Amino acid sequence: MKVGSALLVEKSGEVRRAWLETLVADIAAAHAGGQQVILVSSGAIALGSRRLKLAKGGRASLEDAQAAAATGQIILAGLWAELLGKHGIVAAQMLVTLGDFEDRRRFLNASATLSRLLSLGVVPILNENDSVATEEIRFGDNDRLAARAAQAARADALVLLSDIDGLYTANPAEDPAAELIPTVSDISAVAHMASRASSSGMGSGGMVAKVEAARIAHAAGIPVAIVAGAPAHPLKQFIETGHGTIFEAPDPMTSRKAWLAGRMQVEGRLTLDAGAVRALKGGKSLLAAGVIGIEGQFRRGDAVDVLDEAGKLLARGLVGYDAADARAIAGKSREALREILGYAPRSAMIHRDQMVML
């Protein structure tokens, strides 16, 4: 479950302690009922900026945000540990960066840590390590971090507590005719409805981030719920009423392909002709002959996106060639590759086992 800054912290910087106690009571009830709970909690920058008296909520500069995060994380972790401890629950802190989930080995290490903590009856509290992350190497919002954590933990569900009660047909703050969408079975059909704005001005997400989180979770077959977090006992209310937006989950991919589909850092893009698009949809590997465009400076093994001629995202995969070699052989038949490269070529630009269709 992900809890955003606007739910935890007032605009004044004060913790919404009374509300938080009701949420912790909900978590304790779920825990007592045999459910394992992982929390992804924002709020460190908001809490730290107040303690340090920083302007603009600690977001005036990257250095301010990093200092605020380092200071606020102690407060945030202590708060969760104190309130969960009153219910006899041990809390553990895990600070992660984008690289911890983008690198396969580190992803598996995080997965193992989460698994062991849960087996011990602990509630892990995750947050992005904003004290070291920069704009180039960060999630940018905890919705997507929560989706990656759900993948790593092989979760049965992901709940995003929000300052809005779900996905609407239009922005409800601007359009009184906007209607809540209770169930989403096709993410691509609703992506255009998402707004980038966070209504509180305190967080960094917005509905776009939540829809993207649902896409990441879906790769692992995990359903996602966007739920109103502001009322008291928000989890209990959702369980009792079902009010919110639920993104239904398809059948899961293999764990490796789910990890690949959820990657947020890609180093380049390959554009394909119509024949290559048909081959990919038929389960084939991507051959050099079908590539008509290449962008980026990638190395062998980097993640790249695969697009059709109209620019639509088709797949993501680990490329078999460095960018220079890929450009040299793009559009060429397999027979010509050895002569162009001067060495025995690999069988595919991206092998089907290293690619996931999106």
Side-chain angles (χ1 to χ4, degrees), residues 140-157:
D141 61 80
N142 272 354
D143 296 307
R144 285 176 284 198
L145 187 159
R148 284 301 247 170
Q151 280 189 340
R154 297 181 293 279
D156 297 302

Side-chain angles (χ1 to χ4, degrees), residues 12-14 43-75 130-131:
S12 64
E14 293 282 351
I45 292 177
L47 292 171
S49 65
R50 182 174 184 270
R51 177 68 58 86
L52 298 175
K53 298 180 173 59
L54 295 173
K56 298 183 179 180
R59 298 182 185 274
S61 68
L62 176 60
E63 292 80 3
D64 277 5
Q66 290 173 324
T71 305
Q73 192 60 48
I74 295 174
I75 304 169
D130 286 313
S131 60

Side-chain angles (χ1 to χ4, degrees), residues 159-185:
V159 177
L160 303 176
L161 294 185
S162 175
D163 50 6
I164 189 170
D165 59 348
L167 180 66
Y168 280 77
T169 54
N171 187 337
E174 300 173 358
D175 185 352
E179 297 181 0
L180 178 71
I181 303 172
T183 306
V184 175
S185 56

Side-chain angles (χ1 to χ4, degrees), residues 167 169 187-195 211:
L167 180 66
T169 54
I187 293 178
S188 63
V190 301
H192 66 283
M193 300 176 186
S195 167
V211 172

Side-chain angles (χ1 to χ4, degrees), residues 68-93:
T71 305
Q73 192 60 48
I74 295 174
I75 304 169
L76 183 65
L79 184 64
W80 282 113
E82 174 201 345
L83 296 181
L84 286 167
K86 290 181 178 180
H87 293 270
I89 299 172
V90 175
Q93 177 179 260

Side-chain angles (χ1 to χ4, degrees), residues 85-256:
K86 290 181 178 180
H87 293 270
I89 299 172
V90 175
Q93 177 179 260
M94 284 182 65
L95 294 178
V96 296
T97 63
L98 180 63
D100 294 324
F101 288 114
E102 298 290 272
D103 179 87
R104 181 65 177 168
R105 182 173 295 179
R106 287 154 68 187
F107 177 89
L108 294 175
N109 286 340
S111 178
T113 300
L114 287 169
S115 178
R116 183 57 178 147
L117 287 170
L118 292 173
S119 74
L120 293 169
V122 173
V123 171
I125 313 293
L126 276 69
N127 195 9
E128 184 160 18
N129 192 354
D130 286 313
S131 60
V132 298
T134 65
E135 290 300 326
E136 293 78 18
I137 54 167
R138 64 191 305 266
F139 283 94
D141 61 80
N142 272 354
D143 296 307
R144 285 176 284 198
L145 187 159
R148 284 301 247 170
Q151 280 189 340
R154 297 181 293 279
D156 297 302
L158 170 61
V159 177
L160 303 176
L161 294 185
S162 175
D163 50 6
I164 189 170
D165 59 348
L167 180 66
Y168 280 77
T169 54
N171 187 337
E174 300 173 358
D175 185 352
E179 297 181 0
L180 178 71
I181 303 172
T183 306
V184 175
S185 56
D186 181 4
I187 293 178
S188 63
V190 301
H192 66 283
M193 300 176 186
S195 167
R196 292 190 178 275
S198 171
S199 64
S200 68
M202 199 181 314
S204 54
M207 200 55 67
V208 168
K210 291 173 176 57
V211 172
E212 175 65 9
R215 187 194 66 76
I216 293 169
H218 274 200
I222 301 171
V224 177
I226 301 174
V227 179
H233 294 285
L235 186 57
K236 179 182 178 183
Q237 284 203 25
F238 172 61
I239 292 169
E240 292 177 349
T241 68
H243 184 77
T245 296
I246 296 176
F247 291 79
E248 296 177 335
D251 293 335
M253 304 173 184
T254 65
S255 59
R256 180 176 175 81

